[in-house]
Amino acid sequence: MSTETLVRTATPRRVGYVALALALTALAALPGGLLWPEPSGGGETYTYADIQPHRGLWWGLLVALAANLVINVPAQALLTVYLVKARGAAWATVGGIIMWIGTALYAVGVGGWASAYYFATAPGVDPSVIERINDDMGHIFGALIPGSLLVAVGTVLQAVGLLRSRAVPRWIPVLWLVIVATFVVPGNGVAGLITAVPMTAASLGTAYYAWKKTSV
């Protein structure tokens, strides 16, 4: 068997694995917004009473979503770069690099936030500790917010690359642009689900067309 034949045989399998990872993690993240508790006082920070009764769920949910993101976003970036070979390739590549950096920052930030609240609401800990944590927004959101912004910017750049390349139907990159709305619409509850659905559809579309391309 020649080297060229081996490469042709292996590529569909590898792309298929990445496409499967993107599809499964997109579906897994879909109910996350419904489980995410809503702050009683609005805004982005939570009170002791918000977290303490659900501290185990809070920590587990955020860590699971962060781990899911570490698989999901790089898979999206890789498949988009794979799909965009000529026109729009620079947009897709630069966007993918930015998304990888943003994912690292975001996951570190979410994990730190989850742990800070988890230990601050442990039995016997002064409830005022969580207020002191909330007063230090720089350390709580210092990695999370820049990471989130970079993932969004990278996704927009990749959507432009997909639109320019015409490698997939236009509805896929258009749905990817819904990520911009996540900075305006709350990420929890029904509102979070409304923004998650189109992005999940975009993930499934990207996964399908990347897998389909291997058989062409």
Side-chain angles (χ1 to χ4, degrees):
M1 184 179 291
S2 68
T3 303
E4 183 178 357
T5 303
L6 284 172
V7 171
R8 287 179 178 175
T9 303
T11 297
R13 189 180 303 118
R14 292 169 180 169
V15 173
Y17 290 152
V18 178
L20 182 62
L22 176 60
L24 291 179
T25 53
L27 292 171
L30 196 57
L34 294 176
L35 296 174
W36 193 300
E38 184 175 355
S40 58
E44 298 297 331
T45 58
Y46 293 76
T47 66
Y48 181 88
D50 289 333
I51 301 299
Q52 207 285 325
H54 315 288
R55 59 192 294 265
L57 174 62
W58 166 270
W59 184 86
L61 177 61
L62 263 66
V63 170
L65 289 175
N68 193 73
L69 185 85
V70 171
I71 301 172
N72 178 272
V73 176
Q76 173 193 336
L78 281 171
L79 292 180
T80 301
V81 171
Y82 172 73
L83 283 165
V84 183
K85 292 293 188 181
R87 190 182 183 197
W91 291 86
T93 302
V94 172
I97 293 170
I98 293 174
M99 289 165 69
W100 278 52
I101 297 171
T103 301
L105 291 173
Y106 188 87
V108 168
V110 170
W113 190 26
S115 296
Y117 275 12
Y118 180 80
F119 291 114
T121 53
V125 175
D126 187 341
S128 66
V129 170
I130 199 168
E131 296 177 11
R132 298 175 189 172
I133 291 172
N134 289 338
D135 288 338
D136 193 353
M137 300 285 283
H139 284 93
I140 290 296
F141 299 118
L144 193 157
I145 292 178
S148 180
L149 286 170
L150 287 174
V151 170
V153 170
T155 301
V156 170
L157 292 178
Q158 287 210 318
V160 172
L162 285 171
L163 286 169
R164 288 177 59 84
S165 71
R166 299 180 182 178
V168 297
R170 295 179 68 85
W171 63 265
I172 293 178
V174 169
L175 289 183
W176 276 128
L177 294 176
V178 172
I179 194 171
V180 177
T182 61
F183 289 94
V184 180
V185 179
N188 52 347
V190 176
L193 183 64
I194 291 173
T195 57
V197 168
M199 293 180 63
T200 299
S203 294
L204 297 177
T206 301
Y208 170 75
Y209 281 97
W211 172 79
K212 183 179 179 181
K213 184 177 179 179
T214 63
S215 60
V216 176

